[in-house]
Amino acid sequence: MTVVTGVSCPVCGCLCDDIEVDVTDNRVISVKNACAIGEAKFLNYAQHRATTPLIKNGNSLIEASLEVAIQRSAEILVNSKYPIIYGWSNASCEAVKKGIALAEDVGGVIDNTSTICHGPSIMSIQDLGISSCTLGQLRHRADLVIYWGSNPWSAHPRHIERYTVFSEGRFQNSEWNDYVTKSSSIQSQKRLRRASDLISKTGDSTISEVSHLPLTYPKMGRKLIVVDVRRTRSTDVADYFLQVEPGKDFELLQALRLLIKYDELEVEEVAGVPVKLLEDFADILIGCDFGIIFFGLGLTMSSGKNRNIDAALSLVRDLNQRTKFLIMPMRGHFNVTGANTVSTWQTGYPYAVDFSQGYPYYNPGETSVIDILRRGESDASLIVASDPVAHFPKTAIQHLVKNPLIVVDPLETPTSLMADVFIPSAFVGIEVEGTAYRMDHVPLPLKKVVDPPKGILSDEEILDKIIQRVHVLQEGGI
Amino acid sequence: MSLLLKNGFVYDPLNGVNGEVMDILTEGGKIVERHRSKDLKIIDVSGMVVMPGGVDIHSHIAGSEVNAGRLLRPEDHFKDVEVKGKVTRSGVGYSIPSTFTTGYRYTKMGYTTVMVPSMPPLEARHTHEEMDDTPMIDKAAYPLLSDWWVVLEHIRDNKIEECAAHIAWIMKATKGYAIKLVNPGGLEAWGFGKNVQSIDDPVPNFGITPREIIRGLCKVNKLLNLPHTIHVHTNNLGKPGNYLTTLKTMHCVKDLAEETKPVIHITHCQFSAYKGSDWSNIRSGAERIARYVNRNSHVTIDLGQIAFTDTTTMTADGPFQYGLYQLSGNKWMNHDVETETSSGVVPFRYRRKSYVHATQWTIGLELALFIRSPWKVFLTTDHPNAAPFTTYPLIISWLMSRHARERLLKKINRKARRRCVLTTIDREYDLSEIAIATRAGTAKALGLTWKGHLGVDADADVAVYALNPRRLNPSKEYELIEKAFERTAYTIKGGEVVSRRGEVVKSVLGQTYWADVKTLEPNEASSEFKQRFKDYWTVQYENYPIPENYLHSSKPVPVKAEV
């Protein structure tokens, strides 16, 4: 048995790098320090695993050699006029570099999954800028943490523990003990009530909502506030929960911008929140020493999109007149930030980069894949480490599968089943090494803990082979 | 393969060659006296200027803050694109070109070595990834160390030797080359949105002053025998009246100097040479700073010269960038790095008709012209802060020609023109002085003994410019100078022609230098430090250092330390 330490977890944007993995006979036996999602990936990654390249023959996929699959892929790409190359957030930076080189060689469009998650955030950042930091800065200094439209307790399970209010920093203490006390008292209250219900047999007693201190009397120390349209696991952890009406985040943010300038609001409530409460909230925002807003897809993908982010970024910018305030998007996949970063330094643009004119061109809405697919412009696609068939709008998928489709992925997915060529690849961060960027742009190494199945190459190697083949074909070879 | 450059006018100041007609022979990537291989290629460069390849001492071309700038400014890229070529990758650029384009543009101007001056150690891997993707040039990076908690604590406890051992480890771990200080103490204060106001202002929570940090790191630099001096971006940068801070900063390490060896480099000094009390009465402090530099031998500076154009400012100086955002109202990016540093990005346009910008323009040139020895003042634009590096040829023409300056002086803000002394300066650089300010001097200051000259065993990095010094009247024909320095007739990198008449003909990788500091005792991190690491950072100790094989082309520079 060998124990591999300091493994970066290839699941979410937290990219926790303190995972310890026990390996026996090239199999992962147990995992330490990881959250439930991370542990599940390390233990179960080998299920639904594809191990042989497949190519389409008539209506069925048949097994093929890697050489044949590569040759077929290269032919498809060379013969297409406007291919799209999409995916990347679950691939390493090294693979992304190859992807960009390939897109340039075949004059296609390269886009990554931020086009359907934090793309609006990026567009907004390009309009306004962003005041941000690395996560450790918050661990040491933040005394006010706000999650807006995101649910870290379920989606980034170690975020609060490693980077924000439950972490121990130089200038701030962990609120973990407080939370444990609070939640156990709530639990015992609930038990008491249930017991008394049984005795009195009233029958219709409902367990009351978890109570919070009113905002008018803010608690001392670090504060955790969650703003969301519904209760989530994270709101239970939070000191305060502000429930916003769905689709009204923009109004709420703008109201806060006015309130921190001491403007009067001449309405009773905004977005379902009483103005009285908002005034208290604004006081908390101004009164902190170091605040941070994390925003998730609740803000970027609800109506308003980048305008919501405009308002959030502007709020934080305004708050800097009074105190230190920062903001950060909660990035989903473990290397979505890396895909943006690599694309930016090689092409100048973070996603949706069009090489059809021989140089990088960027105009989300025009050069983003969903828009290209829905206009029916592309004539081939290469998907790496992503599953658009499961996630894209129907009309986009219809066009995607109408044209030749190449898929490079470790797993059998709905997309791979629709492919003309499917090349299985190794899991980066488990079976092969690489580099990934945490949600705050901190680069970390992805480690290899077990060997990949025989004959399975990394995304990087597969793409390199395709590029070589494309060069041969473009120079008139066979 | 050997390459012979025949009959060029050679400018090689480090070897005392000043425009003499000579042949330069290269073999195996080095300059040699006679060749062994039979494969000899001869290029006739008669009537042309031959110089060592350019060495840029300070240019933000790679790393997280540069990339943040790229992300922030699609509008900067739309207007300037590079199409994919036979041997070149495509790209975009103007003020913050994509990595490939950066390499190509430098090589076209005859530059072969560029220093990346601000590497946040936690994100060093990013800087190296980008440097690996910047072809054609050799490079190195300076880690930002003036606000590291561990460094601050060592200096507070007066443990200079422990601090030196720690920095030796950092250099190795981050593959860094020199110690960079940015607004020492101010960035730690910026963690809570504050700043320090002078070099004697205490740093919040640490109880030391910027003066102690500067002196401490200067001592560390000496103990480690690092090839370059400490590289300082001063406190109060970009504020009227800051020339006093700059003078104090230079003076506070004077007693640490031995003989005539420099111990401090003040970078982009133009931004730190302002007199006056606010923006309406800002004046040039260049004369005072030049006087100090002329009288003392422990200082070198580089310019940070402004050109009137649209550019992007980016520094690790978070509070300064916030100030610039408030001043300009332009979009603003801030990125604080835990335990280490901060950074900011703000797009900016320098306008001829603005009193402040025009004054800034004169200050840079005054510094260059008032400081008598070109070995002490180097040409930079703090790319892209004062202007993109592609404006170097223009700046060279200003330095070489009074007429070029006068022509522009006529067009700048009237009040600025009336108040400046630049109008009275007649000095014009000659080609040898340009060679010093752009390659020989910088290579010497950086301790790159194999760069910046054309002596035997130097790297075969050569720039050939289509200029005939016998026929040229630089003062009048400044446009010719600008044109010639814009694109070389030939750029030779490692003994191969990589660029010809402004066209890249061969793509090469370029090496990454880093200071491989050899301490007296093996430099292993103590368990106490590993524990502290856990408390200070959010990454694991073992994931922090960059292994050498991570770099495409690593070139350790061995350094023997005294600790």
Side-chain angles (χ1 to χ4, degrees):
Chain A
M1 190 185 85
T2 44
V3 179
V4 191
T5 58
V7 178
S8 308
C9 169
V11 177
C12 78
C14 286
L15 205 64
C16 307
D17 71 330
D18 60 343
I19 314 294
E20 291 178 17
V21 182
D22 286 5
V23 180
T24 309
D25 294 338
N26 203 37
R27 277 183 56 211
V28 177
I29 299 300
S30 71
V31 183
K32 253 192 229 165
N33 293 345
C35 67
I37 312 176
E39 187 173 329
K41 175 155 183 184
F42 276 106
L43 292 176
N44 303 315
Y45 75 94
Q47 292 177 21
H48 307 288
R49 187 66 192 275
T51 48
T52 38
L54 304 171
I55 54 175
K56 196 176 247 175
N57 187 359
N59 269 335
S60 59
L61 285 164
I62 56 164
E63 291 191 1
S65 70
L66 183 65
E67 282 65 40
V68 171
I70 299 273
Q71 170 74 15
R72 186 79 177 267
S73 311
E75 281 167 11
I76 291 173
L77 290 169
V78 169
N79 292 329
S80 74
K81 291 199 169 63
Y82 195 50
I84 54 175
I85 300 183
Y86 173 80
W88 310 111
S89 304
N90 279 329
S92 66
C93 292
E94 288 78 2
V96 179
K97 287 179 199 170
K98 294 284 176 203
I100 294 169
L102 180 60
E104 194 184 78
D105 284 339
V106 299
V109 171
I110 183 161
D111 198 357
N112 57 57
T113 55
S114 39
T115 198
I116 53 165
C117 65
H118 274 285
S121 315
I122 291 171
M123 287 164 67
S124 183
I125 291 168
Q126 288 171 334
D127 278 346
L128 290 160
I130 185 171
S131 170
S132 195
C133 63
T134 66
L135 291 164
Q137 192 77 347
L138 314 170
R139 171 187 165 193
H140 293 302
R141 300 179 203 258
D143 62 345
L144 174 62
V145 178
I146 299 168
Y147 290 97
W148 197 304
S150 82
N151 177 9
W153 197 257
S154 305
H156 298 80
R158 294 183 75 205
H159 197 269
I160 299 176
E161 158 208 336
R162 264 172 74 82
Y163 306 123
T164 64
V165 288
F166 291 170
S167 64
E168 188 78 30
R170 185 181 186 119
F171 307 113
Q172 294 291 340
N173 296 322
S174 166
E175 294 289 316
W176 173 250
N177 281 335
D178 272 16
Y179 164 69
V180 172
T181 324
K182 192 176 81 183
S183 85
S184 68
S185 86
I186 291 169
Q187 288 305 322
S188 49
Q189 271 174 22
K190 280 184 187 170
R191 270 199 298 276
L192 269 177
R193 184 163 314 204
R194 252 182 260 127
S196 66
D197 284 355
L198 281 176
I199 295 162
S200 60
K201 288 189 178 158
T202 47
D204 57 58
S205 157
T206 49
I207 295 162
S208 73
E209 290 284 311
V210 183
S211 58
H212 289 293
L213 284 167
L215 279 165
T216 347
Y217 305 103
K219 73 174 252 217
M220 303 299 285
R222 282 178 140 172
K223 290 175 262 301
L224 174 62
I225 300 181
V226 174
V227 185
D228 212 330
V229 293
R230 68 177 82 84
R231 288 198 159 273
T232 62
R233 297 292 299 278
S234 305
T235 60
D236 292 346
V237 185
D239 298 310
Y240 310 106
F241 166 48
L242 226 62
Q243 189 159 11
V244 54
E245 276 177 25
K248 294 271 177 75
D249 299 273
F250 182 82
E251 283 90 330
L252 193 62
L253 286 161
Q254 294 289 30
L256 285 170
R257 284 187 71 194
L258 290 173
L259 285 171
I260 62 164
K261 290 176 187 156
Y262 294 131
D263 281 349
E264 292 284 325
L265 295 186
E266 289 168 1
V267 286
E268 286 303 306
E269 58 167 50
V270 177
V273 185
V275 166
K276 197 96 194 79
L277 197 68
L278 276 183
E279 283 169 356
D280 293 338
F281 189 27
D283 280 346
I284 290 180
L285 291 177
I286 296 168
C288 73
D289 288 333
F290 187 120
I292 171 88
I293 296 177
F294 288 100
F295 61 95
L297 294 194
L299 209 52
T300 65
M301 281 295 155
S302 57
S303 72
K305 292 209 170 179
N306 57 327
R307 297 297 167 216
N308 293 340
I309 314 301
D310 284 354
L313 295 179
S314 307
L315 171 66
V316 168
R317 211 179 53 181
D318 296 351
L319 277 164
N320 270 285
Q321 307 256 3
R322 303 183 165 274
T323 181
K324 178 90 180 178
F325 226 100
L326 304 171
I327 182 165
M328 196 188 296
M330 290 289 269
R331 304 307 301 266
H333 294 299
F334 68 91
N335 197 27
V336 63
T337 314
N340 292 148
T341 305
V342 174
S343 180
T344 305
W345 85 59
Q346 291 206 341
T347 72
Y349 309 112
Y351 68 106
V353 186
D354 181 333
F355 284 101
S356 62
Q357 299 168 84
Y359 59 84
Y361 170 70
Y362 164 81
N363 188 16
E366 181 191 350
T367 60
S368 36
V369 287
I370 292 187
D371 303 276
I372 292 171
L373 288 170
R374 293 190 60 171
R375 289 195 305 266
E377 289 173 352
S378 64
D379 57 354
S381 20
L382 165 66
I383 310 293
V384 179
S386 183
D387 187 11
V389 169
H391 300 111
F392 276 11
K394 191 177 158 197
T395 45
I397 300 168
Q398 280 168 341
H399 187 76
L400 180 77
V401 300
K402 208 165 73 189
N403 289 300
L405 172 64
I406 309 157
V407 176
V408 178
D409 203 298
L411 294 171
E412 208 169 71
T413 64
T415 311
S416 84
L417 295 175
M418 307 293 280
D420 291 79
V421 183
F422 170 49
I423 307 175
S425 63
F427 273 100
V428 67
I430 299 179
E431 295 172 339
V432 285
E433 292 179 342
T435 307
Y437 284 68
R438 201 164 73 181
M439 62 164 73
D440 56 349
H441 291 96
V442 171
L444 284 164
L446 297 168
K447 287 193 181 160
K448 169 183 173 161
V449 291
V450 294
D451 292 324
K454 208 165 164 275
I456 298 289
L457 303 178
S458 66
D459 298 320
E460 189 191 352
E461 289 164 313
I462 293 168
L463 289 163
D464 195 50
K465 280 180 185 291
I466 296 179
I467 292 174
Q468 302 302 338
R469 211 57 223 158
V470 163
H471 286 175
V472 172
L473 290 175
Q474 280 175 338
E475 280 152 25
I478 317 148
Chain B
M1 196 194 86
S2 311
L3 185 69
L4 180 68
L5 299 171
K6 247 180 130 51
N7 291 333
F9 295 100
V10 177
Y11 288 85
D12 183 9
L14 277 167
N15 292 311
V17 181
N18 187 6
E20 285 138 50
V21 176
M22 288 170 82
D23 297 348
I24 300 291
L25 182 64
T26 76
E27 189 174 77
K30 295 274 172 194
I31 308 277
V32 291
E33 209 147 356
R34 54 177 61 95
H35 63 98
R36 287 203 195 87
S37 98
K38 284 178 188 152
D39 180 15
L40 177 70
K41 193 179 161 193
I42 301 173
I43 299 176
D44 181 19
V45 293
S46 46
M48 296 190 197
V49 166
V50 176
M51 285 187 188
V55 180
D56 196 338
I57 199 167
H58 189 110
S59 174
H60 299 261
I61 56 166
S64 54
E65 85 286 12
V66 182
N67 215 35
R70 287 189 195 108
L71 174 74
L72 185 65
R73 300 210 63 196
E75 75 277 12
D76 180 81
H77 313 325
F78 288 141
K79 60 188 178 193
D80 187 5
V81 296
E82 294 272 352
V83 177
K84 174 181 158 62
K86 261 196 192 124
V87 295
T88 58
R89 299 280 302 266
S90 66
V92 294
Y94 175 64
S95 67
I96 358 158
S98 52
T99 50
F100 306 119
T101 303
T102 302
Y104 304 143
R105 288 188 180 171
Y106 258 116
T107 211
K108 285 176 192 174
M109 298 193 321
Y111 274 76
T112 49
T113 310
V114 179
M115 298 287 136
V116 175
S118 66
M119 172 164 77
L122 180 62
E123 298 176 10
R125 212 174 267 268
H126 181 174
T127 310
H128 282 289
E129 276 205 273
E130 280 197 31
M131 292 205 294
D132 278 351
D133 268 351
T134 309
M136 317 305 287
I137 47 177
D138 294 334
K139 47 249 142 176
Y142 314 151
L144 295 155
L145 296 174
S146 58
D147 294 83
W148 262 60
W149 286 358
V150 185
V151 169
L152 298 185
E153 284 161 356
H154 278 317
I155 291 173
R156 178 191 65 198
D157 303 340
N158 210 10
K159 292 181 181 163
I160 297 299
E161 295 202 346
E162 280 92 333
C163 189
H166 178 69
I167 287 179
W169 172 79
I170 296 171
M171 287 296 166
K172 263 191 172 163
T174 64
K175 304 288 175 278
Y177 187 78
I179 298 175
K180 174 77 186 290
L181 291 83
V182 173
N183 187 3
L187 305 192
E188 166 51 35
W190 179 242
F192 282 116
K194 304 195 169 57
N195 197 357
V196 291
Q197 312 303 331
S198 80
I199 76 163
D200 293 311
D201 217 12
V203 181
N205 301 316
F206 283 87
I208 53 169
T209 60
R211 180 190 296 270
E212 288 169 279
I213 302 173
I214 299 164
R215 283 183 62 84
L217 286 174
C218 193
K219 286 178 197 161
V220 165
N221 204 70
K222 272 173 71 185
L223 282 175
L224 295 180
N225 282 322
L226 288 175
H228 186 33
T229 58
I230 52 171
H231 196 93
V232 184
H233 161 135
T234 61
N235 298 104
N236 283 332
L237 181 124
K239 285 186 197 152
N242 64 9
Y243 80 104
L244 282 171
T245 311
T246 311
L247 288 173
K248 279 184 199 162
T249 305
M250 296 193 284
H251 199 64
C252 83
V253 292
K254 188 179 177 187
D255 59 314
L256 300 174
E258 286 158 14
E259 294 162 21
T260 58
K261 219 172 157 255
V263 290
I264 186 167
H265 178 86
I266 304 288
T267 191
H268 38 73
C269 195
Q270 175 272 128
F271 288 112
S272 302
Y274 304 153
K275 269 188 191 171
S277 56
D278 63 38
W279 291 113
S280 64
N281 62 15
I282 180 179
R283 277 167 301 129
S284 166
E287 216 173 337
R288 287 289 302 276
I289 289 186
R291 200 187 307 159
Y292 187 88
V293 175
N294 281 334
R295 284 179 188 169
N296 291 280
S297 57
H298 69 283
V299 194
T300 55
I301 70 163
D302 66 77
L303 287 181
Q305 173 61 39
I306 274 172
F308 298 111
T309 180
D310 183 23
T311 190
T312 312
T313 65
M314 54 181 66
T315 67
D317 196 343
F320 162 72
Q321 293 291 350
Y322 181 61
L324 198 60
Y325 148 68
Q326 284 181 312
L327 203 65
S328 67
N330 293 343
K331 47 193 181 181
W332 166 55
M333 208 131 172
N334 179 74
H335 187 69
D336 294 352
V337 179
E338 62 202 63
T339 320
E340 297 179 349
T341 179
S342 74
S343 65
V345 182
V346 176
F348 204 77
R349 184 174 194 105
Y350 293 103
R351 294 173 192 280
R352 287 200 312 266
K353 294 294 178 194
S354 150
Y355 168 63
V356 175
H357 303 170
T359 305
Q360 288 178 305
W361 176 76
T362 62
I363 291 172
L365 290 173
E366 284 169 20
L367 281 171
L369 297 166
F370 276 137
I371 295 174
R372 284 190 293 269
S373 163
W375 296 100
K376 287 181 179 174
V377 51
F378 312 127
L379 170 62
T380 66
T381 58
D382 185 16
H383 164 82
N385 282 299
F389 65 82
T390 42
T391 56
Y392 286 178
L394 181 64
I395 296 168
I396 290 174
S397 76
W398 293 335
L399 292 176
M400 290 188 74
S401 158
R402 195 160 52 91
H403 289 94
R405 298 196 292 265
E406 275 167 6
R407 190 165 150 242
L408 191 51
L409 267 166
K410 279 185 199 140
K411 295 192 212 161
I412 66 167
N413 177 285
R414 252 220 225 122
K415 189 168 122 197
R417 184 170 67 234
R418 250 195 343 258
R419 287 190 176 181
C420 77
V421 288
L422 183 63
T423 41
T424 64
I425 307 177
D426 290 337
R427 183 176 165 199
E428 288 172 339
Y429 273 52
D430 60 24
L431 280 168
S432 175
E433 286 173 313
I434 291 293
I436 297 168
T438 56
R439 44 266 282 165
T442 43
K444 188 176 165 214
L446 288 164
L448 295 168
T449 49
W450 59 97
K451 295 273 182 201
H453 69 103
L454 297 171
V456 170
D457 272 350
D459 276 3
D461 297 352
V462 190
V464 181
Y465 297 104
L467 266 186
N468 189 332
R470 292 243 170 101
R471 290 200 202 130
L472 180 79
N473 176 1
S475 189
K476 291 269 163 61
E477 294 171 303
Y478 49 84
E479 274 164 354
L480 280 182
I481 295 172
E482 190 189 337
K483 228 180 214 141
F485 279 98
E486 253 166 25
R487 41 181 224 169
T488 57
Y490 299 95
T491 304
I492 288 127
K493 176 88 191 66
E496 289 178 289
V497 177
V498 290
S499 165
R500 199 187 298 135
R501 285 188 284 280
E503 194 189 334
V504 176
V505 291
K506 187 174 166 60
S507 185
V508 292
L509 271 181
Q511 290 171 319
T512 301
Y513 299 114
W514 54 280
D516 185 10
V517 185
K518 307 252 193 288
T519 42
L520 296 181
E521 283 159 34
N523 192 10
E524 306 252 321
S526 62
S527 56
E528 184 248 329
F529 176 65
K530 283 184 187 166
Q531 181 53 44
R532 225 184 326 170
F533 197 93
K534 248 184 215 162
D535 296 340
Y536 284 6
W537 279 271
T538 52
V539 301
Q540 295 292 298
Y541 171 76
E542 60 185 293
N543 289 333
Y544 194 85
I546 304 172
E548 196 181 344
N549 62 12
Y550 191 78
L551 277 51
H552 277 333
S553 183
S554 156
K555 187 88 181 162
V557 178
V559 178
K560 234 177 134 206
E562 286 165 27
V563 286

